[in-house]
Amino acid sequence: MYLISFLLLFSLLAGLAIAAAPSVGVQARRIRFSVGALALASVVLALLHAHSGPEFYALSEGLAHVLDWLFMLGGLGLAVLLLYFCRRIKGYEWYIPALIVVQTGLMLYAELSSEHPRVEHAFYVDSFSVLMALIIAIVGGLICVHAIRYMHDYHAHAAGQHEAGDLDRSQQRPERSRSLFFFMLFLFLAAMFGIVFANNLLWLFFFWEVTTLCSFWLISYSRTDEAIRNGFRALGFNLIGGVSFAAAIVWLTHGPGLRTWELDQLVAGGSALALIPAVLIAVAGLSKSAQMPFSSWLLGAMVAPTPVSALLHSSTMVKAGVFILIKLSPVFHDTFAGLLLSLIGGLTFLVTSLVAVNQRNAKLVLAYSTIANLGLIVMCAGVGTAATMWAAILLILFHAVAKALLFLAVGTTEHLIGSRDIEDMEGLVYRRPAIAAMLLVGMLGMFLAPFGMLLGKYTCFQAFLSMDVMWGDGVLLAVILAFGSAPTLFFWSKWMGKLVAMPRHAQPSEVPIPRDEAIALVALTLLTYVACALFPLADTAFVIPYTDFLASLGLIPASNLAMPWETITLMSLMLAGLFLMPLAFWLRPPHFTEVSGYLSGANVDGSASYRGAMGVERVVESRGYYLSGFIREGTMVRVGLFGCGSLMLVMLMGAVL
Amino acid sequence: MKPYAWSLAFAFILVGPLLGALLAGVDRRLTARMQSRKGPPILQPIYDVLKLFEKDTLVVTQLQTLYLWGFLFFMVIAGFILFLGSDLLLSLFALTVSGIFLCLAAYATNSPYSNIGSSRELMLMMAYEPMLIMVPLGFFLVTGSFRVSDIIAGSPWQVLQLLGILVGFLFVLTIKLRKSPFDLSSSHHGHQELVQGMTTDLSGSDLAIVEIGHWYENVILLGWLYLFFAPWGPWIALPISFVLFFAEVLVDNTNARLKWSSTLKASWLMTGVFGVTNLLLLPVIS
């Protein structure tokens, strides 16, 4: 209990202290210190709660009452603040203030009702939320550390200076927007802690809306027109989810059937009682985790500074969406609503994996792959067996670490080489070996055996084929997964191919990676490795206790998830191979004669040009394949939006009728 | 885990390439006969590779050798898992990793020809991957397990139940063996638009690694084919698999090369028509 309140309050206070820092140097020190403290607290929490079932905490009557009022006032304050921001909307964005008003009205209608359900346990800790807290504190924290230097350069760049970071600048007062920026980052973390630990649905909703606010503010950070429009789009889409969440709370207050404001009671209601509110909350989860038809807000979020994208894509925001879906997953078990939810995830996975092949912009590739991976997690959540929940939780873990690494590495690369175009990253292994190695580890972590994501896919296949809602459902999901994985393979390998290519021209680049960025990147690289090597540990400490508890309540069918030792041995063998081969290569490199590549003519300038048939010197150029004629992005996206939109409507109507 | 499974797995590591070389040798002889030539001795592939080891190795970058090690390592692992009687899906994943390492080696040399070759190879992987995944899925639905040892001990009717999957698998086997009409990533004949595709800038011992890797790969694919007929026992299953395997040579010699887009469309269509339909109909058949 104390640790939870520490995590929540400390990140809030740290945010304030950082925003109030008198100089850039002090601000940086405070950020590093706060991140360290948060990481330490989350590790202590993990050590105390790993391997054990959930614990629920009741608050004293008086405190609960005060907090109830505070949260209600906070919710109102939030609504007023959002309405204030809405002064800059354009005509066609009229729906945003409307949604704010509707949502606040719904919440007040629920909160002020005379006979509302009593909340016994306001907070809880279980092994899943502990794992989430670890991800939020450590991955999120590292992103904040990376942001210290990144924002420094970002502002210097905006102010037209060439390179910032000299000592005297660290004495300066930080710009107001930058202080507010870091405050928002820590507020974001605090809200995330709130989401994973709150059992009171109203409070959870408040934290939920705080993340919406933070993401809106952070996306619009650069104040360009594009950034502001994209920020409003994110706000609008998330508010649709918010209204749906609020409707679920109203249903749980006034509706027939189940009346409760507690998350665990809602889940315990099972599909017979809790399906309607669960479906409503699932819509909120879909919007937050950027599934189609809501996906475009996450793509628009790219305009924000890279640490923001990294935060939104890896440890916060989208993870809040899938977190709530996995929490509700037992309710969806063996229902048509669950199958429809899985299909929404599946269609999103398929479409975005295909569209990602088209992209040349590294951040867009990452964004589409995030949406695709979240789609996979949603697929698992909709099935709702122990095996799929197991897979979903592991996917969250591996995705958070690898995606944070990739985003930050792309951000740093962009600062170093001045481009985020994949084609411009040719030969990065030779030009910037360290950053290229990190990118490669991140990519391997995203899709290749023996790394974690593949493990998740493996379990998904097994779990889907054991499904039994209707004829052919599991096969359908497994086929979607098979077809969606193929383009994933293509676009990642293509990008890796660019990185490992021998550059045609020497492109010396001496600028070192700034220290704070290097710390964050190296730590995340190690985390990716460690998470993969020690996944059985994460498995027994965090995932199995959670699914076992749900099974003991009879909410999901019990099953034995233990991986056969043989599989684990083989996976470890592969991981060891991936580690030892470069080591052996480095210790005993073969010495072969180096020549320039074959160009079907006499090479003139290394591999860069050759003497062609008519004696003319020809410069060599070759580019990657993007299949833009084969996979038409516009058509694919339309199919996805329409398909997922109708699936969602059917899911809502099916649940209500 | 029975001891003979271990011995089979280790036998694969040691004898696998020899068997693969013999397969390649027979393949060349058959091809030659179809073209009214006499053809090289059966052991010619082994002589070729031994000669490659004698030659100087020229590289564009030293790192390409590292990627080729990765290619060979994961190929051996894939076969090891398969012949151990362990998890078929895991074996497939290892096979995929191995394929990607080969592409990385080709990308690393960065000549336009190897670039196109490896891009096409990735495209081919995208084409055959879904169908290859259908195979373990089909076996899982029939036997309730991804384990090779359970599949071998399965019902003798499984090949009939999985007939559609077998057809689809034979289709993508042509791609996997880099046979015409799908040999668009690496050409075995010089002087074409692709030169030698992925292997353009690989020479000497590097090229030998690629050859050995392919030998392993052919044995693994033959093993996959064998699995369909495995419950009938080796005396029936082995000849059938050999016949089907070498039927690919006939396909190779009677077809012209396709473009990548047609390949992709054709193989996804085949996967949908034969693989997916078969999976959906399985509850009805069994």
Side-chain angles (χ1 to χ4, degrees):
Chain A
M1 184 67 212
Y2 293 112
L3 271 170
I4 304 176
S5 18
F6 174 78
L7 282 172
L8 245 166
L9 293 176
F10 180 80
S11 27
L12 199 62
L13 292 176
L16 287 173
I18 289 161
S23 74
V24 172
V26 175
Q27 190 175 47
R29 270 199 298 283
R30 286 187 188 172
I31 294 172
R32 285 186 213 115
F33 171 76
S34 319
V35 167
L38 281 179
L40 192 67
S42 68
V43 170
V44 172
L45 183 75
L47 290 177
L48 290 178
H49 285 277
H51 236 310
S52 59
E55 278 177 40
F56 292 89
Y57 303 110
L59 300 176
S60 69
E61 193 75 29
L63 182 61
H65 202 65
V66 171
L67 282 176
D68 263 334
W69 276 104
L70 276 180
F71 274 103
M72 195 169 121
L73 287 179
L76 282 176
L78 200 67
V80 171
L81 190 61
L82 285 174
L83 282 174
Y84 170 71
F85 282 129
C86 281
R87 71 190 188 281
R88 286 199 291 182
I89 56 169
K90 293 210 166 149
Y92 64 90
E93 289 162 341
W94 58 269
Y95 65 96
I96 295 174
L99 285 171
I100 299 172
V101 171
V102 171
Q103 174 189 315
T104 317
L106 285 173
M107 283 310 288
L108 286 177
Y109 177 52
E111 281 170 335
L112 296 177
S113 82
S114 48
E115 272 184 61
H116 62 72
R118 238 178 59 81
V119 176
E120 203 169 327
H121 304 293
F123 287 100
Y124 71 99
V125 173
D126 64 20
S127 51
F128 179 29
S129 54
V130 168
L131 184 67
M132 289 296 292
L134 276 176
I135 293 174
I136 296 161
I138 297 180
V139 178
L142 286 170
I143 294 170
C144 292
V145 171
H146 184 271
I148 299 175
R149 180 51 198 256
Y150 190 94
M151 293 316 288
H152 206 68
D153 289 354
Y154 185 87
H155 279 277
H157 199 70
Q161 292 160 355
H162 194 62
E163 271 303 323
D166 14 325
L167 268 177
D168 51 77
R169 259 191 70 88
S170 72
Q171 305 302 324
Q172 279 179 11
R173 271 196 77 75
E175 300 86 341
R176 206 173 135 261
S177 64
R178 193 197 318 189
S179 298
L180 210 50
F181 177 86
F182 282 110
F183 172 69
M184 281 293 180
L185 287 189
F186 278 85
L187 182 64
F188 212 141
L189 296 186
M192 282 303 294
F193 287 126
I195 288 177
V196 299
F197 291 126
N199 193 41
N200 183 334
L201 282 171
L202 275 76
W203 298 3
L204 193 141
F205 180 73
F206 171 76
F207 293 124
W208 187 267
E209 289 305 296
V210 172
T211 61
T212 303
L213 167 80
C214 292
S215 63
F216 160 71
W217 193 89
L218 289 168
I219 294 169
S220 329
Y221 181 69
S222 68
R223 296 287 173 273
T224 59
D225 192 52
E226 190 194 7
I228 291 174
R229 293 283 79 76
N230 289 346
F232 276 117
R233 182 156 22 133
L235 180 61
F237 283 6
N238 277 299
L239 282 172
I240 297 177
V243 168
S244 179
F245 202 134
I249 290 179
V250 169
W251 182 276
L252 287 170
T253 317
H254 296 289
L258 189 69
R259 289 194 179 181
T260 176
W261 277 1
E262 284 174 287
L263 183 60
D264 64 318
Q265 297 296 325
L266 175 65
V267 175
S271 53
L273 288 171
L275 193 60
I276 296 173
V279 165
L280 285 171
I281 296 178
V283 173
L286 288 175
S287 70
K288 191 130 290 200
S289 56
Q291 295 300 289
M292 285 186 162
F294 302 109
S295 56
S296 66
W297 76 259
L298 192 62
L299 300 170
M302 271 194 10
V303 295
T306 298
V308 175
S309 325
L311 202 63
L312 293 179
H313 282 262
S314 65
S315 58
T316 61
M317 199 66 181
V318 296
K319 291 287 148 55
V322 288
F323 170 79
I324 202 81
L325 288 174
I326 294 174
K327 276 276 159 192
L328 293 175
S329 181
V331 179
F332 294 119
H333 175 62
D334 231 356
T335 59
F336 273 100
L339 181 60
L340 288 168
L341 185 64
S342 296
L343 285 177
I344 294 175
L347 192 56
T348 307
F349 174 65
L350 187 60
V351 167
T352 45
S353 301
L354 282 167
V355 171
V357 173
N358 280 173
Q359 311 304 323
R360 257 180 85 155
N361 180 334
K363 273 180 102 177
L364 263 181
V365 174
L366 294 181
Y368 274 117
S369 108
T370 301
I371 302 176
N373 280 305
L374 293 169
L376 187 55
I377 299 173
V378 172
M379 270 168 108
C380 293
V383 177
T385 59
T388 51
M389 290 172 78
W390 184 89
I393 295 174
L394 282 183
L395 285 173
I396 287 190
L397 168 66
F398 293 124
H399 179 258
V401 181
K403 204 34 101 40
L405 172 61
L406 280 173
F407 258 108
L408 295 185
V410 166
T412 303
T413 311
E414 194 184 348
H415 269 183
L416 294 176
I417 67 171
S419 163
R420 52 167 88 154
D421 186 335
I422 289 178
E423 296 294 330
D424 291 334
M425 294 187 191
E426 185 178 277
L428 210 61
V429 165
Y430 304 90
R431 288 153 64 194
R432 310 286 322 201
I435 195 93
M438 292 170 193
L439 276 170
L440 286 175
V441 169
M443 288 181 205
L444 290 172
M446 284 305 295
F447 81 107
L448 271 194
F451 285 95
M453 297 297 282
L454 213 81
L455 201 72
K457 279 189 190 165
Y458 176 96
T459 317
C460 289
F461 277 124
Q462 202 164 5
F464 290 158
L465 292 183
S466 321
M467 263 176 85
D468 197 20
V469 182
M470 57 174 269
W471 173 73
D473 52 355
V475 170
L476 193 60
L477 291 180
V479 166
I480 289 177
L481 183 52
F483 273 99
S485 302
T488 315
L489 195 84
F490 182 75
F491 70 78
W492 285 123
S493 315
K494 184 179 71 172
W495 188 356
M496 293 203 323
K498 272 290 159 208
L499 293 180
V500 301
M502 183 74 182
R504 294 215 170 79
H505 308 276
Q507 289 153 309
S509 142
E510 296 301 320
V511 194
I513 303 176
R515 199 189 63 177
D516 282 325
E517 297 190 11
I519 292 173
L521 288 169
V522 171
L524 281 169
T525 312
L526 291 178
L527 272 181
T528 310
Y529 248 120
V530 169
C532 294
L534 297 185
F535 93 88
L537 201 68
D539 181 26
T540 48
F542 301 115
V543 191
I544 301 277
Y546 180 65
T547 51
D548 276 356
F549 172 72
L550 288 174
S552 73
L553 290 183
L555 292 174
I556 52 174
S559 68
N560 180 22
L561 284 174
M563 278 250 162
W565 64 269
E566 187 188 306
T567 310
I568 293 181
T569 316
L570 288 168
M571 302 268 290
S572 316
L573 187 67
M574 288 192 239
L575 196 64
L578 266 188
F579 193 73
L580 292 178
M581 269 189 308
L583 194 68
F585 188 84
W586 181 67
L587 289 175
R588 296 281 302 274
H591 289 290
F592 297 132
T593 323
E594 286 193 32
V595 293
S596 49
Y598 176 76
L599 300 174
S600 74
N603 295 15
V604 176
D605 175 17
S607 306
S609 62
Y610 68 103
R611 195 146 320 276
M614 306 298 287
V616 208
E617 185 180 335
R618 290 182 178 279
V619 177
V620 175
E621 277 217 60
S622 69
R623 293 268 178 260
Y625 280 44
Y626 293 90
L627 316 191
S628 45
F630 189 72
I631 303 166
R632 300 208 177 269
E633 185 177 352
T635 325
M636 294 300 301
V637 170
R638 270 196 297 281
V639 167
L641 293 181
F642 179 74
C644 291
S646 17
L647 283 171
M648 201 175 74
L649 283 182
V650 174
M651 180 173 84
L652 273 171
M653 285 182 353
V656 174
L657 291 180
Chain B
M1 190 68 28
K2 294 171 190 140
Y4 86 88
W6 284 101
S7 48
L8 196 61
F10 283 109
F12 165 78
I13 297 183
L14 297 175
V15 189
L18 291 179
L19 183 59
L22 288 178
L23 287 176
V26 174
D27 180 339
R28 284 171 73 169
R29 275 292 266 269
L30 278 175
T31 305
R33 288 293 149 85
M34 284 178 197
Q35 297 165 346
S36 319
R37 291 186 285 118
K38 189 167 177 296
I42 300 278
L43 291 181
Q44 187 63 39
I46 298 183
Y47 304 148
D48 288 349
V49 164
L50 288 178
K51 187 172 150 199
L52 280 178
F53 275 117
E54 299 287 307
K55 292 196 157 202
D56 280 344
T57 305
L58 299 179
V59 293
V60 176
T61 157
Q62 304 288 346
L63 282 178
Q64 72 188 55
T65 313
L66 174 63
Y67 306 131
L68 289 173
W69 288 1
F71 162 67
L72 193 62
F73 175 74
F74 279 97
M75 186 66 80
V76 171
I77 291 272
F80 186 79
I81 297 172
L82 180 72
F83 287 92
L84 192 60
S86 187
D87 206 299
L88 191 60
L89 197 54
L90 198 62
S91 164
L92 173 58
F93 287 155
L95 200 62
T96 310
V97 182
S98 147
I100 285 171
F101 268 106
L102 181 59
C103 288
L104 285 189
Y107 269 124
T109 64
N110 208 12
S111 98
Y113 303 101
S114 37
N115 248 337
I116 296 175
S118 39
S119 290
R120 284 186 181 178
E121 173 71 12
L122 283 179
M123 222 109 65
L124 292 181
M125 288 179 88
M126 182 155 78
Y128 64 62
E129 201 64 20
M131 189 60 231
L132 283 189
I133 292 179
M134 301 288 144
V135 177
L137 295 191
F139 281 127
F140 183 84
L141 284 178
V142 173
T143 63
S145 160
F146 284 126
R147 291 186 60 83
V148 173
S149 51
D150 294 338
I151 296 169
I152 292 177
S155 110
W157 298 107
Q158 70 183 21
V159 64
L160 291 179
Q161 290 172 327
L162 297 176
L163 202 58
I165 301 227
L166 177 62
V167 173
F169 176 70
L170 286 173
F171 186 85
V172 298
L173 188 63
T174 326
I175 308 180
K176 201 81 186 93
L177 294 172
R178 293 186 181 75
K179 297 283 188 200
S180 205
F182 306 122
D183 57 339
L184 36 103
S185 71
S186 61
S187 163
H188 292 295
H189 321 282
H191 309 296
Q192 299 193 4
E193 94 281 12
L194 198 57
V195 188
Q196 280 275 296
M198 287 203 291
T199 50
T200 303
D201 274 308
L202 306 179
S203 62
S205 59
D206 276 1
L207 193 55
I209 292 179
V210 176
E211 281 304 316
I212 295 173
H214 283 161
W215 292 347
Y216 273 119
E217 190 174 19
N218 288 356
V219 177
I220 293 170
L221 292 171
L222 187 65
W224 276 58
L225 200 50
Y226 175 83
L227 280 186
F228 283 93
F229 310 97
W232 293 343
W235 296 112
I236 306 177
L238 263 183
I240 300 182
S241 339
F242 274 114
V243 168
L244 286 176
F245 192 83
F246 287 113
E248 299 287 350
V249 182
L250 185 65
V251 177
D252 188 25
N253 284 296
T254 47
N255 282 282
R257 187 182 299 165
L258 279 176
K259 287 199 287 192
W260 64 261
S261 56
S262 335
T263 307
L264 199 51
K265 278 179 200 155
S267 40
W268 280 28
L269 191 70
M270 287 295 280
T271 311
V273 171
F274 287 96
V276 179
T277 316
N278 194 164
L279 287 182
L280 284 175
L281 289 181
L282 264 183
V284 186
I285 304 171
S286 53

